[in-house]
Amino acid sequence: MAAGVGLIPGIAQAAGPVAPAAPAAQGAAAAGTGPEVAQKLKGKTFSSPADRTVVTPKSGAQAGGTARAQGAQGAQDSSYPAIDLEGTGHTAHSIDLRTIITTTDAAALDVVISWGDGATDKFVATIAGFGSDLRYTKHKYAAVGSYDVKVTVKNTATGAEAVNGLKFTTAGNEFTSHAPTRLLDTRAGIGAARAKVGGRSSVALKVAGVAKVPAAVRAVVLNVTVTNTTGPGHISVGQDKALTEGAETSNVNYVAGQSVPNLVIAPVGEDGYVHLFNAGWQSVDLLADVTGFFTPAPAAGYGALTPTRAVDTREGVGTAKGQVPGYGTFDVEIAGRGGVPAGATAVALNLTATNPRADGHLTAYPSGQAAPVTSNVNFTAGQTVANSVIVPIGPDGKIAVRNGSWNPADVVVDVVGYYTPDSRSAFVTAWVPMRMLDTRKDLSWGLRKAGPVPARTYEPMPLEGDTTTPDIDGWALNTTVTNTTGTGFLSVAPDPNFRYQYREGTAVTPQRPVSSALNWTAGATVPNLVQTPGGKGGIVDFWNQGWANIDLLVDLTGYYQTN
């Protein structure tokens, strides 16, 4: 079987700007991206200050009083305990609760933390006069969601009780499939004004509460397409307008005359919007199709897989050998095959068109349904192009792929993961995308010098620090290849080594993957979303499968975690 998607026709594409080029390499290190990535993505903090403490007075005191609370009824007594609470989600399912208990009188206090899921923690705090007790307590929830956390403090001598609480929502989110639906089309006035998005301008897209996307949505899966382009540029997608317009990261890169799609897992702002910024200097049209969303409620968790080739029409893998006819459709058996369990509700895959005889597009959708009007991959004659797709699985365990061209084309499908109600691996979104690697620049912590990824080699990237027990089940990474001088394709796969083996020079060379994440031609800048597990040491490999050097950019959009 040919590696990747095979020989790639030499269709040149001018590269859009990504960022200024860095100086030439000065000896790139084999591996190293700095501190553990997950620790940088701190969850939202929920708090309840001390003045919200509600007190049941000790015997003989006036009832109904509150300690340090506005609107107090009856007498206040500063000798009663006051409780200050702050809860943060540092992992998908956990809460780190900080409690500060203060009192003016010396006291022995029984403290009970009720986590809202039926579990409790207890401890005794002995406080001197005018003192306080500071504690950090961690609790893991079996399922993502919102929980009422309550802390009760009882004075063992007087029987006085103080209570404070907060509503905590886990950082983790689970996935719900959505029938492909167009939320934005600036050509038709869907989701925004009927007008092209101007250069260096953005459009706000309402997501929450639209097309059956719930109001509680935390992140949305969008297939974003830029079209009617007259110059080079890129599109950035985020939840905050100012941060999106100032982001160093990109989601879709384009040049004049191109129609380019890319899958985006975008965080949704508290106002229910996402923002799409056109960083080019010329106006463009933008389309966005929703295919799923993430909420902090049990739905379907993720299952990561090493990329597995499910379909290759050139080889007769997964379907009949031979090009898919114009406007032809074929079904692909997904559930119960290649590591995808029978109960999976959706599949994450990389969909590639190659050797097309004319312009067109590919659409992936659940089997047994009519083909939607949306597209997943757009191509021109002779082009090899890939895009990441999350597709609901039909009731028969299959998906369908349609060739939307008048003429035949070859199709390659690589499965990278799945979603199932049996998994509790929840998605933690980056509030803003985080640039993990730009080979044109030195890494800020000095572990890698600027320089391209050489031809036919790989770039190992540790994403969990120096670990032998990875905590992250899968990574969502937007990869971009630029400064290309030939044709090639990028493969992304878990690394079999530990970080110390790279330091000691004992790391084994990983087996070269056959799957492809994105394809390029000379002069092209090409992005694609990649979802991948890390290796046993939390390391991910990025393979340059071309015969010329490339520059590589990797942006973190989030990760999946069971803890």
Side-chain angles (χ1 to χ4, degrees):
M1 178 186 296
V5 296
L7 298 177
I8 304 172
I11 307 297
Q13 302 175 26
V18 180
Q26 300 179 10
T33 58
E36 185 169 344
V37 177
Q39 295 178 357
K40 300 179 183 180
L41 302 186
K42 303 299 185 186
K44 181 180 178 180
T45 295
F46 301 81
S47 62
S48 184
D51 61 12
R52 294 183 183 176
T53 304
V54 177
V55 173
T56 301
K58 60 187 178 181
S59 178
Q62 183 173 347
T66 61
R68 301 171 182 86
Q70 293 182 353
Q73 299 177 7
Q76 295 186 23
D77 187 338
S78 61
S79 66
Y80 294 147
I83 310 164
D84 183 272
L85 302 178
E86 184 176 279
T88 304
H90 288 274
T91 67
H93 290 80
S94 71
I95 175 175
D96 288 292
L97 182 67
R98 186 198 71 186
T99 59
I100 303 176
I101 304 169
T102 58
T103 181
T104 58
D105 293 342
L109 306 173
D110 288 334
V111 183
V112 179
I113 304 174
S114 299
W115 296 108
D117 61 350
T120 59
D121 276 314
K122 301 178 181 180
F123 61 89
V124 175
T126 302
I127 303 177
F130 294 96
S132 64
D133 182 274
L134 167 64
R135 305 226 180 184
Y136 290 89
T137 312
K138 186 171 184 176
H139 179 70
K140 178 183 175 182
Y141 293 101
V144 298
S146 294
Y147 296 91
D148 292 316
V149 179
K150 183 175 73 172
V151 176
T152 303
V153 177
K154 183 176 182 179
N155 188 311
T156 59
T158 67
E161 285 190 355
V163 177
N164 198 359
L166 54 81
K167 182 174 285 293
F168 173 80
T169 302
T170 59
N173 306 274
E174 295 194 12
F175 179 74
T176 300
S177 297
H178 192 290
T181 304
R182 184 141 293 171
L183 297 185
L184 175 68
D185 188 341
T186 59
R187 304 167 305 178
I190 298 173
R194 186 177 179 179
K196 296 177 79 172
V197 181
R200 308 297 298 172
S201 299
S202 60
V203 60
L205 175 63
K206 183 67 179 296
V207 172
V210 177
K212 298 183 179 180
V213 176
V217 62
R218 281 264 192 88
V220 63
V221 181
L222 297 173
N223 197 58
V224 177
T225 302
V226 59
T227 190
N228 295 329
T229 58
T230 58
H234 68 267
I235 306 299
S236 297
V237 184
Q239 65 176 332
D240 180 87
K241 182 177 185 291
L243 291 175
T244 302
E245 293 182 349
E248 65 173 345
T249 57
S250 61
N251 295 101
V252 186
N253 296 75
Y254 62 86
V255 296
Q258 275 190 314
S259 292
V260 185
N262 195 21
L263 194 71
V264 178
I265 302 178
V268 179
E270 293 187 0
D271 59 358
Y273 281 82
V274 298
H275 299 267
L276 297 89
F277 174 59
N278 173 22
W281 294 99
Q282 306 296 325
S283 298
V284 300
D285 276 311
L286 290 175
L287 294 76
D289 303 319
V290 60
T291 62
F293 53 84
F294 293 89
T295 56
Y302 189 62
L305 295 173
T306 299
T308 303
R309 181 138 298 175
V311 172
D312 189 338
T313 60
R314 302 165 304 173
E315 304 285 342
V317 175
T319 189
K321 184 176 181 178
Q323 291 194 310
V324 182
Y327 294 131
T329 300
F330 65 92
D331 287 346
V332 184
E333 187 175 350
I334 292 294
R337 177 187 174 202
V340 180
T345 57
V347 62
L349 52 86
N350 206 58
L351 180 64
T352 303
T354 189
N355 304 321
R357 299 185 188 177
D359 296 359
H361 65 270
L362 297 179
T363 301
Y365 57 98
S367 64
Q369 299 183 11
V373 297
T374 57
S375 63
N376 297 110
V377 179
N378 296 77
F379 53 81
T380 58
Q383 185 184 25
T384 295
V385 59
N387 195 22
S388 184
V389 184
I390 298 176
V391 188
I393 299 174
D396 59 357
K398 299 178 181 179
I399 65 170
V401 179
R402 181 177 184 268
N403 175 15
S405 171
W406 287 92
N407 286 282
D410 279 309
V411 176
V412 177
V413 178
D414 295 317
V415 176
V416 301
Y418 59 88
Y419 298 88
T420 173
D422 295 331
S423 172
R424 293 281 74 87
S425 185
F427 184 69
V428 178
T429 182
W431 197 71
V432 292
M434 180 187 302
R435 178 139 292 173
M436 302 306 304
L437 176 68
D438 184 341
T439 59
R440 302 164 304 177
K441 303 177 181 179
D442 292 346
L443 286 178
S444 59
W445 37 83
L447 295 178
R448 188 193 190 280
K449 293 295 185 180
V453 181
R456 309 297 294 171
T457 64
Y458 70 98
E459 179 77 21
M461 178 184 291
L463 289 172
E464 290 199 65
D466 201 353
T467 181
T468 58
T469 55
D471 190 50
I472 305 301
D473 304 321
W475 300 91
L477 306 165
N478 198 69
T479 57
T480 303
V481 169
T482 191
N483 294 333
T484 57
T485 58
T487 59
F489 63 94
L490 182 75
S491 297
V492 182
D495 189 288
N497 299 289
F498 296 109
R499 192 168 179 176
Y500 75 84
Q501 292 175 300
Y502 279 104
R503 289 197 301 266
E504 296 173 355
T506 60
V508 299
T509 301
Q511 184 176 355
R512 186 179 297 276
V514 298
S515 60
S516 62
L518 61 82
N519 301 74
W520 66 83
T521 52
T525 294
V526 184
N528 198 14
L529 179 72
V530 174
Q531 299 202 99
T532 180
K536 61 186 181 182
I539 302 174
V540 175
D541 293 334
F542 298 83
W543 287 82
N544 173 9
Q545 304 273 35
W547 295 96
N549 296 351
I550 60 166
D551 275 310
L552 174 67
L553 293 77
V554 180
D555 301 326
L556 174 71
T557 62
Y559 58 85
Y560 297 92
Q561 189 177 38
T562 304
N563 292 328

